[in-house]
Amino acid sequence: MTHSGAYVYDPDRPAGSLHLRAARVLEGNWTGTSTVPSHGLYPHQWSWDSAFIAIGLRHLSPLRAQTELETLLGAQWGDGRIPHIVFNPSVPLDAYFPSPDFWRSSTAGRAAGAPRTVQTSGIVQPPVHALAAWLVHQADPGLSRSRSFLSRMYPRLAAWHRYLLHRRDLGGGGLASVIHPWEQGMDNSPCWDAPLSRVTPAAPRSFRRADLDHGSAEDRPTDLDYGRYVRLATDYRDGGYADGAGEFAVEDPAFNALLIASEHALAAIAQELGAAGTARHARAERLTAALVERLWDPAEGMFFCRDVYGGDERGGESYGGDARDEGESGALASERRSSESGAHGSERGSRSGALAPEQHSAESSAHASERRSRQSGAHASEQRSRAGALIPERSVAGLLPLILPALPRDIAATLARTAGGPHFGLGGVARLAPSYDLTGHAFDPHRYWRGPAWFNTNWLLERGLRLHGEHGRAEELRAALLETADTSGFAEYVDPYTGEACGALGFSWTAALTLDLLHEPARADQADRADRADRADQSTHVVSHPGHRAFDKAQGTPPHTSHASHTPHTPHSSFETGAKGGDRG
């Protein structure tokens, strides 16, 4: 689509096709450097939104998908965190709350290395980014290599994972904790009710809820919950965005499953750049074991969140120093020794310019920041109980570890049964998997993350079912997702029973993931054929699927060529082979 409205991408498709309508949504929400979730309610760039958007954009324009991620990671902090919002300076301050003047990132976040040239929030969102970067690379390896896309992304993504694995291991068991409900992405989930009850809410008159200008109060978080969100964010900001001092810390199964899936993707990226990647795969498998040990409940047949600072009401086991030290001596310690001693030189030698000197400098800065943080006592929370308590609320987050390739077979089969059981009704009473237990005390089919179905969680669930051999269920879910996206106008979320549209329409990740599902049946074969063709011709051949050139040409983008070599890798998940939550802060 050109800016004048003329369609040039895949012109053989019918004008009203789902494919072209999804492309139209992404074009309409494009700002020139990134994609907003929706222009009204969410007028800035959101972290995990951009990762999902890039996954869909790669089917329209791999270049634009790369730009989406480059813009987001360009706002990364010195300590490695990727902020959950990157603010557009042209948007009025009163259009969204909390706005840049609330977060004060360039001043309050100075000690943590917040950028000075762009305003961001200070919290994070689920780490889908390495996974997205790897999938974007696979869409057009020639273009990716010609732009050194992965070699520029890798140090930033590695620093991001280090931040989560070192600074956010507040429970001491190897898993990352979220320190605010907005970080997990499922903002208003009943899973947060118990840990939030310890938080004194901010005074109602101390903030104005801009979200109510765009949605019914009955569908939004309550004023009480919102006051607690604001209190947590305020205290975090006033503490210089140092981790471990707040009242809220939760180990979430979906957040950690995405971190593990992205570790596998980061291993594949390392292999593409000429390194072994074995330490990262080993770490991903170790984290999978920790996820099962910490969050799996065999009696209930699903994963639960763990309230790190809560009472040990459900027999949670404490992970003391020995367990942490043992983990450190493995993959984490190996990576730290490798990066600090310059072992990434093997990656430089395998491909000229793969990891540039300034990127090594950025990695060194991130390591130094991390060491200073540990030495200054940022992990003071380790003095608290590490056992915590599982939170007895069934969320769709507890099904999403299905995306992990090393998940034990019996657990994967149990999760598939739970998804189709009375609590989630997938393939039965529910059109799409709800965000919260259909039989739960807090279930509401229209209130944010307390029951409605979301496209990104169902997209992940579809991939997980397919990965573990549940092809029939996966195909049924895929069909339901495509039908619901079509009939709902690419809604932000829907009633899980009826598919009725709720929230914003023309929502970017709904459109993006619809495109990915439309490309799914042939995706694995196409990726394999493209990769084989690229390896066979290393002269000036550029892999480009139908429509890429036309879409990029419409944006005035020059062509690229590739002369780079390629190191094969072994796929470790279906994401490699192809087989908004709430008020968002």
Side-chain angles (χ1 to χ4, degrees), residues 29 31 34-46 85-97 210 214 580 583-584:
N29 289 340
T31 68
S34 64
T35 310
V36 298
S38 70
H39 280 291
L41 184 53
Y42 308 120
H44 302 286
Q45 183 179 24
W46 263 260
I85 302 176
V86 180
F87 290 106
N88 183 343
S90 67
V91 174
L93 288 178
D94 62 357
Y96 189 84
F97 178 85
H214 301 274
K580 246 169 189 260
D583 48 81
R584 296 165 175 255

Side-chain angles (χ1 to χ4, degrees), residues 262-275:
S262 282
E263 269 295 306
H264 281 301
L266 207 53
I269 292 172
Q271 288 179 282
E272 162 68 21
L273 296 175

